[in-house]
Every structure is written in structure tokens, then in C-alpha cells.
Amino acid sequence: SVAHARRLVIGLGGILGARYGRFAAAGSDSYGYVSQARLWLEGTPRTVQPWVQQVSWPNREWVFAPLGYRPVSADGTIVPTYPAGLPMVMALFLGLFGEDGPFYVVPVFASLALWFTYLLGREAIGGKSAAALAALLLLASPAFLAHLMVPMSDVPAAAGWALVALLALKGDGSLFRQRPGEKDSRPLFVGVAAGLTLLIRPNLFLLSLVPAVAWRFRRGPLARYALGLAPALLTLAAINTRLYGSALAFGYGSLLESYSFHTALPNVRNYAAWLVETQTPLIALALV
């Protein structure tokens, strides 16, 4: 039945990640996320290395900055390169489940991404079969499967934005039951979901404008959306100021550096080609 197929697909996402995933910080990204989780659990990811000042060679502060970290001063103090959202969740799992805890985070988010995709398909089309097929196609995606196996932020970010799209879609109202005359609560929840997702991947902040466009910039929904978004944005600004010296600075550099116009056309060309190569030309049917 469709119900059994849905449960199987959603369950497989978590099972595959937990069974075949890489339970090791075996690269710059995975090491950056997992090691930062431990630092958050201990108090702060800002690490002071005063002994670096005793070294005389050039660029000494960079020499003693491991993968996933960068110096913020000449005295050897280092901070994480990667955003704090995912490491914070990993820190929670580390405290609850021990050393393997951080590596269960991505499998959990994988199941959530599949579940949200199913709900999104059902809300958009109204058919459970098409919704289950949508979840199955996500599970079959090479990019999704590859990132399901590593402790990185790609799958958690995908789950977050799938939830944002699900909550922002009005559909038949099955997700939010309202009493006559009651204000629509969806924008508030959309803002909360978008804010938490931005903590995981702040460089995708332009996606937070999508709900506003979908609601045609109406004041009421936008005000409630901003209210839900505000706590996460303030948290992000506080973390950025503490670690990088500015609310608009990230581990990768300034906010403006993330959106350089000279890289726009190469990115469009490359991502379009990669999308077709990994998903087959049938992905074009999504536009239809």
C-alpha cells in the first residue's frame, strides 16, 4: 500500500545513514562540524592558543589553524569556519548518546527530509501516491545519498528548506486548522523554520525571501513571518559578532563575498549541468 511504501522510504533514509554512514571526521567539512560540536558542549568554539606567539616564522597563526578553522588574531586564537547550527545539534546528540551521537544527526535529518517531501507532495497535489513517489525520487538522488553518508550540513539544510516550503504552502489547509476570524499562524511557524535552517546554512539567506514572494509581500503574513524569523537572526548575529567581529561576517568571509556577481553565470551553468547529469533530463518535468 501507499502507506507502507511511505514508511519504508522514510525509514530507509535513516537506516542507510546509520548503517552505512561514515562514523568518522574524515575530511575538512566533517572534522569542522564534529569538532566544533565538542567545543560547543565544552562552552565556546573560540580557542585561544597563546603559545603561537612564541613562533617566529611568517603566517604562524595560519599554520596552527586546523582544517575547518581560521585565525582571528595574530596571537593564535582560532574560530570555526563552518556555521554553528549543525554543530549545536551535534553537541546535543554528543551529550545524549556519547561519541557516536554526532554521526546520527544526518540520518535523522534524512528521514525528516523524506517525510517533509512526502507531506509537501501531498499538500501540493492532494495525492498520497505522488507524494510517496516524490520521497522515493529524493531518496534515489545521487547527491542526497552521497551526503546522507557524511556528517555535513547538506541534508539537514535540505530538510529545513523542505519544511519551510511545506509550511508556506497553503494547500487545502490540512496542516493548519483555523477557526473563523482567527489569524493565519503559518507565517510564524515558517519564520521559525527558516530561521533555524539559516543557523545551519546562513549563506542561503536568499531562500528566506521565497515565502515573502509566495505571499505577494502582504503585510500581515510578513509581520508574523519576521517575528518567527527574528530570534534565529539575532542568535546568528550574536554568534557572528562573537566569533568573527561582525554580525554580517561568516567563517567563509563577509556576506557580500558569498554573492559575487562575477561567479553568477558560471554557477548557473555548472549547477544546471550537474543537475541534469545527476538527476537525468527528466528533472525538467519539475518545471512543468
Side-chain angles (χ1 to χ4, degrees), residues 50-259:
W51 46 268
V52 172
Q53 299 179 70
Q54 302 174 15
V55 180
S56 59
W57 59 65
N59 298 318
R60 58 189 180 182
E61 65 274 16
W62 281 101
V63 172
F64 293 100
L67 291 172
Y69 293 82
R70 56 176 291 185
V72 291
S73 61
D75 65 0
T77 300
I78 57 174
V79 294
T81 302
Y82 301 104
L86 179 60
M88 285 180 170
V89 180
M90 287 181 168
L92 176 63
F93 275 61
L94 177 63
L96 292 175
F97 305 111
E99 295 300 318
D100 286 343
F103 301 98
Y104 290 120
V105 172
V106 171
V108 169
F109 272 105
S111 288
L112 289 175
L114 293 165
W115 182 36
F116 296 152
T117 299
Y118 169 81
L119 294 177
L120 180 60
R122 191 185 66 181
E123 191 76 5
I125 302 174
K128 295 182 179 180
S129 298
L133 179 59
L136 179 61
L137 289 174
L138 176 60
L139 181 61
S141 167
F144 185 82
L145 282 173
H147 288 93
L148 170 60
M149 305 298 173
V150 290
M152 292 166 54
S153 65
D154 301 79
V155 168
W161 290 117
L163 178 59
V164 170
L166 170 64
L167 296 178
L169 185 66
K170 186 173 180 59
D172 60 2
S174 60
L175 292 175
F176 295 89
R177 298 295 184 184
Q178 295 176 237
R179 296 176 181 176
E182 185 180 27
K183 289 184 178 180
D184 188 357
S185 59
R186 287 181 304 115
L188 180 65
F189 290 104
V190 176
V192 172
L196 294 176
T197 307
L198 285 176
L199 286 175
I200 296 175
R201 274 286 183 90
N203 60 316
L204 297 180
F205 75 95
L206 288 179
L207 289 178
S208 63
L209 300 177
V210 173
V213 175
W215 299 327
R216 301 180 183 178
F217 296 96
R218 295 194 301 272
R219 290 184 180 180
L222 281 182
R224 292 189 287 275
Y225 178 59
L227 184 63
L229 193 61
L233 292 183
L234 292 175
T235 301
L236 183 60
I239 293 174
N240 290 343
T241 301
R242 168 62 177 160
L243 297 183
Y244 312 114
S246 170
L248 297 180
F250 300 95
Y252 300 117
S254 70
L255 187 63
L256 295 179
E257 290 174 353
S258 299
Y259 288 92

Side-chain angles (χ1 to χ4, degrees), residues 24-40 45 66-69 79-84 86-88 90 151-152 252:
S28 61
D29 287 36
S30 55
Y31 172 76
Y33 288 118
V34 175
S35 61
Q36 187 186 159
R38 186 174 298 279
L39 293 176
W40 279 112
L67 291 172
Y69 293 82
V79 294
T81 302
Y82 301 104
L86 179 60
M88 285 180 170
M90 287 181 168
M152 292 166 54
Y252 300 117

Side-chain angles (χ1 to χ4, degrees), residues 245-284:
S246 170
L248 297 180
F250 300 95
Y252 300 117
S254 70
L255 187 63
L256 295 179
E257 290 174 353
S258 299
Y259 288 92
S260 300
F261 285 106
H262 74 276
T263 61
L265 288 179
N267 279 338
V268 171
R269 181 175 60 251
N270 289 335
Y271 278 96
W274 294 336
L275 187 64
V276 173
E277 289 173 0
T278 58
Q279 310 301 320
T280 77
L282 292 176
I283 190 67

